[in-house]
Amino acid sequence: MRIIDHRQFQKPLKKQRPWRRYALYGVAGLAGLFLLANAVMWVAYRGKVLPNYKLGTVDVSSLSFSELDKRFSANSLLPANVTLTAGTAKTAVTPASMGVYADKVASTEALKNSRPLLPLLSFVTHHTVSLALRVDDTGFNNGTKAIEPLFNYAPQPSHIALSGSAFVIVDPSTGQQINASQLKVQLQQGLKSGHSSVTVPSTVLAAPAPTDLKAEQQKLQKQLAAKLTFVYNGKTVAPTVGDIGKWYAASGQTMAPADAQIGTYLDGIAASAANRSDLLLAIKYALGKGQSLNFAVVPKGAITRTYCTATRGVGEAALDEMIGKLAATYADTRGWNAGGKMAFAHVASGCDYTVWLSAANQMGSFGDICDDYYNCQVGNSVVVNNDRWTLATDPWNATGASLEDYRTLIIDHETGHRLGFYDDPVCPVAGGPAPVMMQQSIDLHGCTFNRWPTAPEIATVLARNGL
């Protein structure tokens, strides 16, 4: 039997190629180097942020954690300022002023937890870690209160405003109120995104129903037309319509003359005028009545008569108009101020005399010289009978003259008594104006009614005061 040699059927073994072995060694070596490099980076960046890292929108690559701590302390990981806007209102605030800060502990922990197992990859990839924030509620509440005056406003009803030289009616408008809880959310979201502008969430408050202010508008427009002049040291100053308009300030739904604005104008004529306080009263009274008057501006240091006002048997509210009328009469260039040489000033107390508005049935309480029909002067009291103040007298009314002018006569006549004059029954010229010190409603003695001191009466009062 023939023996078969099976080896003749086996393929010969190929010889091993050495380059494959070297390749495996190379791969293993590179892998080892890569792992070694990552290990080195773990050690080298143990106290630092890895490359290509952002915390929020701020690049913190390779910063040491101690440097990062300084950034947190300065709150410099947030925008320096944030502009808050709502409608047309706008203001810039710092995050700290709104109680918002970067949270160091949470943000740093997030940075550390975001490290990849192979930190070497951070050189070729970019990482953004969300910046953690903390909000101090007290700081946020205080910050919100600080901006509320700018962003919170009530609905405005119909109101009157001055436009150029005319009063106009302004339609009602809506209001606005900050939504604080939503603002806190919006602010944090905006800061995390690195935005330097945040829209303030707010609620619109409905506008009130319109109000008919046409009558008030017409009244104010009539006041603007008043022709007022001021005489100071022989010079006359006439304010324009624009000047008078600047004297008005908002008062509820309308506008009214304001002491501060009027005072600024008066100080431009004469600083610290002796009758400044009465001029303020006189101007407001004249404007309210729509009267065109000439007022004397008395220089500082002039002789000044001070007066108080009071009521007896009459409500205090009635004094308001009397105070204005007194001031307008005393400041008028035709009155006892003698063309600006003497001043009268209304004061609260410590006055030279008191002007009383008394009920008719209380007149006798001031002295026997007073009765329940006429006015009178007793000592330091100039007493105006309320019946005469509101009704005048029959002889006066028969002439068709106004109650306003009769009140001027009352004031000048009774004040004349306080200045040292007695009743004067002499008519200088038949048919001419009576002396203001004549008891004109009793007997004119051939003269005509006259509410202002005459030239001889003015000369007398100047002489008595050494002027």
Side-chain angles (χ1 to χ4, degrees), residues 229-407:
T229 59
F230 302 93
V231 178
Y232 177 67
N233 283 342
K235 295 181 179 180
T236 300
V237 179
T240 65
V241 171
D243 292 330
I244 295 175
K246 293 176 182 177
W247 298 350
Y248 285 76
S251 178
Q253 289 180 256
T254 185
M255 298 190 77
D259 287 352
Q261 285 86 329
I262 299 173
T264 298
Y265 183 85
L266 291 176
D267 291 341
I269 299 173
S272 304
N275 64 335
R276 186 180 187 275
S277 60
D278 262 37
L279 284 171
L280 294 174
L281 295 168
I283 291 168
K284 289 188 289 186
Y285 183 83
L287 291 174
K289 295 289 185 178
Q291 297 175 344
S292 296
L293 298 173
N294 302 322
F295 293 130
V297 180
V298 184
K300 181 181 180 181
I303 292 175
T304 302
R305 300 281 182 255
T306 59
Y307 63 96
C308 305
T309 51
T311 62
R312 184 172 292 181
V314 178
E316 290 288 329
L319 268 185
D320 290 342
E321 186 157 0
M322 173 180 263
I323 290 171
K325 179 61 177 176
L326 284 166
T329 303
Y330 286 148
D332 196 295
T333 53
R334 296 167 290 182
W336 286 116
N337 62 72
K341 294 182 175 64
M342 289 176 55
F344 290 82
H346 182 255
V347 295
S349 61
C351 46
D352 296 328
Y353 63 96
T354 298
V355 180
W356 292 84
L357 184 61
S358 172
N361 62 8
Q362 295 292 314
M363 291 294 294
S365 66
F366 289 94
D368 293 340
I369 196 174
C370 301
D371 61 39
D372 61 4
Y373 189 84
Y374 289 107
N375 311 291
C376 63
Q377 179 266 323
V378 181
N380 292 334
S381 294
V382 170
V383 190
V384 176
N385 188 320
N386 189 53
D387 284 355
R388 303 287 67 75
W389 184 255
T390 55
L391 301 172
T393 62
D394 291 340
W396 176 272
N397 291 331
T399 68
S402 69
L403 178 62
E404 186 74 13
D405 285 348
Y406 179 76
R407 289 176 174 179

Side-chain angles (χ1 to χ4, degrees), residues 35-58:
L35 293 174
L36 178 62
N38 277 283
V40 170
M41 280 199 69
W42 272 107
V43 175
Y45 281 84
R46 184 173 52 186
K48 295 196 300 185
V49 181
L50 290 173
N52 289 327
Y53 263 74
K54 282 186 176 181
L55 185 55
T57 60
V58 179

Side-chain angles (χ1 to χ4, degrees), residues 99 125 136 186 196 216 223 233 277 308 329 335 364 368 409 411:
T125 58
D136 176 70
Q186 296 278 79
S196 58
E216 182 69 13
Q223 292 179 14
N233 283 342
S277 60
C308 305
T329 303
D368 293 340
L409 173 57
I411 293 168

Side-chain angles (χ1 to χ4, degrees), residues 37-192:
N38 277 283
V40 170
M41 280 199 69
W42 272 107
V43 175
Y45 281 84
R46 184 173 52 186
K48 295 196 300 185
V49 181
L50 290 173
N52 289 327
Y53 263 74
K54 282 186 176 181
L55 185 55
T57 60
V58 179
D59 188 353
V60 292
S61 301
S62 303
L63 278 181
S64 68
F65 287 118
S66 60
E67 289 177 296
L68 192 59
D69 285 349
K70 292 178 183 178
R71 296 280 188 96
F72 280 111
S73 297
N75 218 28
S76 62
L77 294 169
L78 295 174
N81 291 287
V82 180
T83 300
L84 302 180
T85 59
T88 58
K90 178 185 296 186
T91 188
V93 298
T94 64
S97 71
M98 297 299 295
V100 182
Y101 302 90
D103 190 322
K104 180 176 73 171
V105 174
S107 297
T108 303
E109 190 65 24
L111 275 173
K112 292 178 178 178
N113 291 338
S114 70
R115 287 184 172 222
L117 290 174
L118 302 174
L120 196 62
L121 295 176
S122 63
F123 283 107
V124 293
T125 58
H126 293 272
H127 301 268
T128 298
V129 176
S130 179
L131 177 66
L133 300 178
R134 63 179 178 85
V135 180
D136 176 70
D137 287 337
T138 300
F140 177 79
N141 291 338
N142 290 338
T144 302
K145 287 179 181 178
I147 64 173
E148 279 179 351
L150 182 63
F151 292 104
N152 281 3
Y153 48 89
Q156 294 298 307
S158 303
H159 63 278
I160 294 176
L162 184 69
S163 177
S165 59
F167 287 104
V168 297
I169 298 174
V170 180
D171 292 333
S173 59
T174 59
Q176 178 176 280
Q177 187 171 21
I178 291 176
N179 187 317
S181 59
Q182 288 184 19
L183 174 60
K184 184 185 290 188
V185 174
Q186 296 278 79
L187 189 57
Q188 291 180 81
Q189 290 176 346
L191 289 171
K192 281 186 176 182

